[in-house]
Amino acid sequence: MKNILVLGAGRSSSVLIHYLHKEAIKYNWKITVADASLQLALEKTADMTNANAISFDIFDEQQASKHFSEADLVISLLPPALHVHVAKACLKLQKHLITASYVSNEMQLLDEEAKKRDVVILNECGLDPGIDHMSAMQMMDEIRREGGVITCFKSYCGGLIAPESDDNPWGYKFTWNPRNVVLAGQGTVKYILNGKYKYLPYHKVFANTETVYIPGYGDFDGYANRDSLSYREVYGLQNIPTILRGTLRSAGYCSAWNIFVQLGMTDDTYILENSANMTYREFINAYLPFGNGKPVLENLAAYTGLHTASQELTKLEWLGIFEDEVIGLPTATPAQILQQLLEKKWKLQPDDKDMVVMQHQVSYQLAGCTHQRTSSMVVLGDNSVNTGMAKTVGLPLGIAAKLVLQGKISRRGVVIPVYPEIYEPVLAELAELGISFREEVLERS
Amino acid sequence: MKNILVLGAGRSSSVLIHYLHKEAIKYNWKITVADASLQLALEKTADMTNANAISFDIFDEQQASKHFSEADLVISLLPPALHVHVAKACLKLQKHLITASYVSNEMQLLDEEAKKRDVVILNECGLDPGIDHMSAMQMMDEIRREGGVITCFKSYCGGLIAPESDDNPWGYKFTWNPRNVVLAGQGTVKYILNGKYKYLPYHKVFANTETVYIPGYGDFDGYANRDSLSYREVYGLQNIPTILRGTLRSAGYCSAWNIFVQLGMTDDTYILENSANMTYREFINAYLPFGNGKPVLENLAAYTGLHTASQELTKLEWLGIFEDEVIGLPTATPAQILQQLLEKKWKLQPDDKDMVVMQHQVSYQLAGCTHQRTSSMVVLGDNSVNTGMAKTVGLPLGIAAKLVLQGKISRRGVVIPVYPEIYEPVLAELAELGISFREEVLERS
């Protein structure tokens, strides 16, 4: 009887635990769900014959060592900063580990030892990073096998709201970490276009979007992510002329969000002196020129050159940012104030369904012709537990865990899922579970 | 016979040392000039009867202790980060200390002990900070004594090039730390306007300048400094409706500089992958949209909406930033590349003269009327040693040192020169030495 130890029983763990339990019954495995909160772990394993819940403190060495040594495989859903700690414990006891987080420099240093100890530490095995790697590599490896030379790779992903639950002018609700949404794009965007490095400072990111068409769902805004350059090596695209990774939002979102960026209201580096007592209206006014008594909407319209009834200013008005409501948040940064307002307005309601969207766009040369292939995935949430996000993060983790336990992954060391022995079976089973890509091929001269 | 220990014999120390030596002969004092380089210290004290030079290592406790104990007063021209270390040594031996640097939080913590040990640690006693505090406080204390209520305080300072040495379209050469000029304005600008907090993100700073008129010298651009708020407490202006501190540049400089800011070329937070081999032209192109083979000047004109012959683009062209010249600077940030180019083009020539400009603008209510007073200072350099910058930093330090040695400053603890017992005699002697403010009073209803 094999044992899987799942660390972390937060909201997004349900889909993973249910998948694992279904497989556990089939293969006679046991699952242990460990969390600092026993209650949370109990909730996630209720009515499961092959799963038990434990209260767990990763820094209690004795307890950790006991549970790790009973496991054949560990899946860590803990905060990314704790993964290296977990990995070291796994290495010591020769246990495999799977995470959905980026490989940190510290984690990479464990590669040699993991190989030596016959252990696989499989990271970046969720949605983004995760499904993005697997689906992009499957598509590009196929093109390369046919003899195609890839000249352009663009890849976009977004955690959004399903059309049926989209009832606000932004077409957005928080289905993921709100703080990351407010700070999105900060730092300098780096990518390669037509063989040239391109750099975009933060204040230009939301003004330089591309329109991304998703069959059946229409147009989306795609803004460039911070660093697209590091993907060259990962994907074997060292000399590619154009590479860009981006994030998707509803069409029109970015030009409205850009107003906050232009005004400086997404800054998280300083505290506003009087944030507790000021109103949202005073907050935005602090970033506008003196309005001479004009209403803030008119002042903002004049400052931005937009009409007061423009889609951008309508979106801002809907947020209540022009209202005389007191913020009531002491010693807050501009970004924190904005986040507080957005969390009220962009709150996911109990019956809301989320939507995960991904698209890869690949151009390549083959037999003297330029070809273009687009591959898109849309995953809708079923409800507030089986969200699109929980499915696309949890299922690849679960499938990978099964493959490791079944001995179908021979690679050892610190690994990400860019190899056919991993991505082929994971993507095949994801498709069976309803998570699949739809391809379109365009021929050009 | 009193002893003055001067720590640091860098370029800007000459004026201070010459002033001190003149006074030393008059009052029979002795000066010791200490530097890590004995050669530098010897050069600065050549032919001086009452001065000697020593090689000095601030971290050699025994040596430092010997020289500190022989001194009655220490003047530190060392890098600001070392001042607290110097101050602690001074406190131990009950020696007074004078610096031209801002009071750090760590330095402020020494206030109580300095008072207890009957020592004055007089900081911010150069130009900016220094003359700015003294002249502003003299003007405002006078207004307050007359019963005026100050409603607006704006203060600008700039280290510039003298008109006779101004031979480039930017009207600028480096007379001070080049790195600080390239990074100027980074972080968020904070000020108060008409009783309201105002925040300006970095990418808006150089587009929101004021025109500052200096009698006899014409118009300058004034851009807002990072933090104007902290001056409220220092100057006793807690409830002032409008307060702004700014930096002066030649008229037209800021709108041209703003192009670099808008493109993101002043960023110092990341390394350009290929900085050694790329040309300046490729460097600026990396921040521009794909130009389809258009010359970079035309591409930039289209991007900025400026004419190719505009003063802004003419300034950029003059810098050579459109040229095919190789940068040759490995692992450099955009800011470092820009600095290297500017250091070639904005180099102060041996015969060039610099110019220091300062202006305070104060509005106040008195007897039902609004009054406005403007006070301006212009100090020209004599040559490449007696620069305007060296005079305006060195002379207030030297005068303050004399006052301390003569027992004319009774204040103890960590002090800045905002008190009449300090600023009155310093400003009076500065005026005798040719450094004075010209006032203009405007009456309004």
Side-chain angles (χ1 to χ4, degrees):
Chain A
M1 191 187 224
K2 298 216 166 164
N3 287 302
I4 304 172
L5 174 62
V6 178
L7 302 178
R11 263 192 69 182
S12 63
S13 66
S14 285
V15 172
L16 167 67
I17 292 167
H18 273 89
Y19 172 86
L20 288 175
H21 190 250
K22 196 168 49 82
E23 301 299 309
I25 290 172
K26 203 186 297 178
Y27 295 105
N28 194 29
W29 296 336
K30 211 190 97 198
I31 306 165
T32 302
V33 175
D35 198 284
S37 154
L38 178 60
Q39 180 59 32
L40 219 51
L42 283 168
E43 277 168 31
K44 294 296 184 305
T45 53
D47 304 324
M48 290 186 178
T49 52
N50 288 30
N52 70 311
I54 59 169
S55 151
F56 187 80
D57 172 6
I58 180 73
F59 295 107
D60 178 339
E61 295 241 352
Q62 209 178 342
Q63 187 204 31
S65 168
K66 173 180 177 297
H67 292 299
F68 275 62
S69 55
E70 287 168 6
D72 295 279
L73 168 76
V74 179
I75 301 175
S76 175
L77 302 174
L78 298 176
L82 297 176
H83 286 156
V84 168
H85 184 85
V86 173
K88 286 178 178 168
C90 284
L91 279 183
K92 208 194 235 172
L93 299 161
Q94 285 189 281
K95 306 297 177 182
H96 303 300
L97 171 64
I98 307 184
T99 84
S101 303
Y102 283 104
V103 174
S104 62
N105 291 338
E106 245 187 311
M107 182 69 93
Q108 189 57 50
L109 291 177
L110 302 178
D111 182 52
E112 206 171 317
E113 197 188 338
K115 282 176 178 151
K116 223 180 281 170
R117 296 183 72 76
D118 196 33
V119 164
V120 62
I121 301 177
L122 179 56
N123 300 280
E124 307 191 13
C125 214
L127 166 64
D128 174 8
I131 292 177
D132 56 347
H133 293 329
M134 296 190 255
S135 52
M137 285 304 285
Q138 186 181 51
M139 188 177 177
M140 292 194 289
D141 281 347
E142 190 186 310
I143 291 168
R144 286 186 277 224
R145 271 197 308 273
E146 290 167 3
V149 175
I150 295 164
T151 54
C152 171
F153 174 73
K154 295 184 179 180
S155 178
Y156 297 91
C157 184
L160 302 165
I161 187 80
E164 63 179 282
S165 302
D166 174 8
D167 54 13
N168 81 50
W170 289 82
Y172 192 78
K173 296 184 185 182
F174 286 125
T175 62
W176 203 233
N177 187 332
R179 182 175 158 80
N180 289 355
V181 173
V182 174
L183 303 184
Q186 296 196 8
T188 297
V189 160
K190 302 170 194 172
Y191 59 100
I192 296 182
L193 182 68
N194 300 321
K196 305 286 182 193
Y197 288 91
K198 289 290 171 187
Y199 301 92
L200 214 51
Y202 175 51
H203 68 272
K204 295 283 187 194
V205 172
F206 291 94
N208 284 269
T209 56
E210 299 208 2
T211 297
V212 176
Y213 174 72
I214 305 288
Y217 291 83
D219 286 340
F220 290 79
D221 287 349
Y223 67 84
N225 289 353
R226 217 170 146 142
D227 192 359
S228 298
L229 304 187
S230 60
Y231 286 85
R232 285 172 300 176
E233 186 152 352
V234 173
Y235 291 175
L237 300 170
Q238 280 83 350
N239 297 310
I240 192 165
T242 298
I243 185 166
L244 173 81
R245 301 239 329 163
T247 298
L248 295 174
R249 291 286 182 263
S250 284
Y253 175 103
C254 289
S255 62
W257 183 258
N258 190 34
I259 296 175
F260 290 132
V261 175
Q262 292 310 309
L263 293 177
M265 294 170 72
T266 59
D267 199 315
D268 198 41
T269 63
Y270 64 92
I271 302 285
L272 284 162
E273 245 186 45
N274 52 345
S275 64
N277 302 317
M278 94 197 300
T279 66
Y280 288 108
R281 180 193 162 90
E282 287 168 334
F283 172 45
I284 191 165
N285 260 325
Y287 294 86
L288 284 170
F290 186 60
N292 246 323
K294 253 187 303 184
V296 56
L297 176 59
E298 279 178 38
N299 194 13
L300 183 58
Y303 187 64
T304 55
L306 295 165
H307 196 276
T308 54
S310 62
Q311 68 93 358
E312 289 88 353
L313 297 187
T314 305
K315 283 187 173 69
L316 262 65
E317 189 167 30
W318 178 85
L319 286 175
I321 193 100
F322 305 144
E323 306 288 326
D324 275 326
E325 191 187 331
V326 171
I327 292 167
L329 201 62
T331 61
T333 66
Q336 286 165 346
I337 295 172
L338 198 53
Q339 183 181 333
Q340 174 184 262
L341 178 67
L342 295 172
E343 286 195 80
K344 278 186 253 176
K345 305 295 286 191
W346 287 351
K347 191 178 163 54
L348 208 60
Q349 300 304 316
D351 292 334
D352 277 343
K353 292 175 186 170
D354 74 330
M355 173 170 76
V356 170
V357 182
M358 187 179 285
Q359 183 175 85
H360 308 301
Q361 301 168 357
V362 177
S363 300
Y364 58 100
Q365 298 284 339
L366 180 61
C369 285
T370 301
H371 302 257
Q372 200 182 344
R373 280 167 70 169
T374 297
S375 180
S376 313
M377 174 192 87
V378 176
V379 179
L380 296 166
D382 306 325
N383 49 49
S384 66
V385 174
N386 292 334
T387 63
M389 193 62 89
K391 288 196 275 186
T392 51
V393 173
L395 293 176
L397 277 175
I399 297 167
K402 181 171 72 177
L403 294 171
V404 169
L405 280 190
Q406 291 177 333
K408 291 184 180 161
I409 292 179
S410 59
R411 230 162 240 280
R412 292 296 178 260
V414 175
V415 171
I416 66 171
V418 291
Y419 308 102
E421 71 160 348
I422 305 173
Y423 69 66
E424 290 292 2
V426 173
L427 290 172
E429 187 166 343
L430 280 176
E432 284 170 23
L433 297 167
I435 298 178
S436 62
F437 281 79
R438 173 175 159 178
E439 277 212 21
E440 289 180 284
V441 182
L442 304 168
E443 299 279 338
R444 285 194 303 188
S445 64
Chain B
M1 193 186 222
K2 300 215 165 164
N3 289 303
I4 304 172
L5 175 62
V6 178
L7 302 179
R11 263 193 68 183
S12 62
S13 65
S14 285
V15 173
L16 167 66
I17 292 168
H18 273 89
Y19 172 86
L20 287 176
H21 190 249
K22 195 169 51 80
E23 301 298 311
I25 289 172
K26 203 187 297 176
Y27 296 105
N28 194 28
W29 295 335
K30 210 189 100 199
I31 306 164
T32 302
V33 176
D35 199 284
S37 154
L38 179 61
Q39 181 57 32
L40 220 50
L42 282 168
E43 276 168 29
K44 295 295 184 305
T45 54
D47 304 323
M48 289 187 180
T49 53
N50 288 30
N52 70 313
I54 59 168
S55 153
F56 185 81
D57 172 6
I58 181 72
F59 294 108
D60 178 340
E61 295 241 352
Q62 209 178 341
Q63 187 205 33
S65 170
K66 174 180 176 296
H67 292 299
F68 275 61
S69 55
E70 286 168 5
D72 295 282
L73 169 76
V74 178
I75 301 175
S76 174
L77 302 175
L78 299 176
L82 298 176
H83 287 156
V84 168
H85 185 82
V86 173
K88 285 179 178 167
C90 285
L91 279 183
K92 210 193 232 171
L93 299 161
Q94 283 190 283
K95 307 297 177 182
H96 303 301
L97 171 64
I98 307 184
T99 84
S101 303
Y102 284 102
V103 175
S104 62
N105 292 338
E106 244 186 313
M107 182 68 94
Q108 189 57 50
L109 291 177
L110 303 177
D111 182 50
E112 208 172 316
E113 198 188 339
K115 282 176 178 147
K116 225 180 280 170
R117 297 183 72 78
D118 196 33
V119 162
V120 62
I121 300 176
L122 179 55
N123 300 280
E124 307 191 14
C125 213
L127 166 64
D128 173 9
I131 292 177
D132 57 346
H133 292 331
M134 297 190 254
S135 52
M137 285 303 285
Q138 186 181 50
M139 187 178 179
M140 293 195 287
D141 282 349
E142 189 186 311
I143 291 168
R144 286 185 276 224
R145 271 198 306 275
E146 288 167 5
V149 174
I150 295 164
T151 54
C152 172
F153 174 74
K154 294 185 181 180
S155 179
Y156 297 91
C157 185
L160 303 166
I161 188 79
E164 62 179 282
S165 303
D166 174 9
D167 53 13
N168 81 50
W170 289 81
Y172 192 78
K173 295 184 185 181
F174 286 125
T175 63
W176 204 232
N177 186 333
R179 181 173 158 81
N180 289 354
V181 173
V182 174
L183 303 184
Q186 297 196 6
T188 298
V189 160
K190 302 170 193 171
Y191 60 99
I192 297 182
L193 181 69
N194 301 321
K196 305 287 183 193
Y197 289 91
K198 289 289 171 188
Y199 302 92
L200 214 51
Y202 174 53
H203 69 271
K204 294 284 187 193
V205 172
F206 291 93
N208 284 269
T209 56
E210 298 209 2
T211 298
V212 177
Y213 174 73
I214 306 289
Y217 291 84
D219 285 341
F220 291 78
D221 288 350
Y223 68 83
N225 287 353
R226 215 168 145 142
D227 192 0
S228 298
L229 304 186
S230 60
Y231 286 85
R232 286 171 300 176
E233 187 152 351
V234 172
Y235 291 175
L237 299 169
Q238 280 82 352
N239 298 308
I240 191 163
T242 297
I243 186 166
L244 174 81
R245 301 238 331 162
T247 297
L248 294 175
R249 291 286 182 263
S250 285
Y253 175 104
C254 289
S255 62
W257 183 257
N258 190 35
I259 295 175
F260 290 132
V261 175
Q262 291 310 308
L263 293 177
M265 293 170 72
T266 59
D267 199 315
D268 198 41
T269 63
Y270 64 92
I271 302 284
L272 284 161
E273 246 187 46
N274 52 344
S275 65
N277 302 318
M278 93 196 305
T279 66
Y280 287 109
R281 180 194 162 89
E282 287 169 334
F283 173 46
I284 192 165
N285 260 327
Y287 293 87
L288 284 170
F290 186 59
N292 245 324
K294 253 188 300 185
V296 55
L297 177 60
E298 277 178 39
N299 195 11
L300 183 58
Y303 189 64
T304 56
L306 293 166
H307 195 276
T308 53
S310 63
Q311 67 93 0
E312 289 87 353
L313 296 188
T314 305
K315 283 187 172 70
L316 262 66
E317 190 168 28
W318 178 86
L319 286 176
I321 193 98
F322 305 144
E323 306 288 324
D324 275 327
E325 190 188 331
V326 170
I327 292 167
L329 201 63
T331 61
T333 66
Q336 286 165 347
I337 295 172
L338 198 52
Q339 182 180 332
Q340 173 183 264
L341 178 66
L342 296 172
E343 285 195 81
K344 278 186 253 176
K345 304 295 285 190
W346 288 350
K347 190 177 164 55
L348 208 60
Q349 301 303 317
D351 291 334
D352 277 344
K353 292 174 184 170
D354 75 328
M355 175 171 74
V356 170
V357 182
M358 189 179 285
Q359 184 176 85
H360 308 300
Q361 301 168 356
V362 177
S363 300
Y364 58 102
Q365 297 285 337
L366 180 61
C369 286
T370 301
H371 302 257
Q372 200 183 342
R373 280 168 70 171
T374 298
S375 182
S376 312
M377 176 193 85
V378 176
V379 179
L380 296 167
D382 305 325
N383 49 48
S384 67
V385 174
N386 292 335
T387 63
M389 194 62 90
K391 289 196 274 187
T392 51
V393 173
L395 293 176
L397 279 174
I399 298 167
K402 181 169 74 174
L403 294 169
V404 169
L405 280 190
Q406 291 177 333
K408 290 183 179 164
I409 292 179
S410 59
R411 228 163 244 279
R412 293 295 178 263
V414 175
V415 172
I416 66 170
V418 291
Y419 308 103
E421 70 159 351
I422 305 173
Y423 69 65
E424 290 292 1
V426 173
L427 290 173
E429 188 167 342
L430 281 176
E432 284 169 23
L433 297 168
I435 298 179
S436 63
F437 282 79
R438 173 173 160 180
E439 276 212 19
E440 289 180 285
V441 182
L442 304 167
E443 299 280 337
R444 288 194 302 186
S445 64

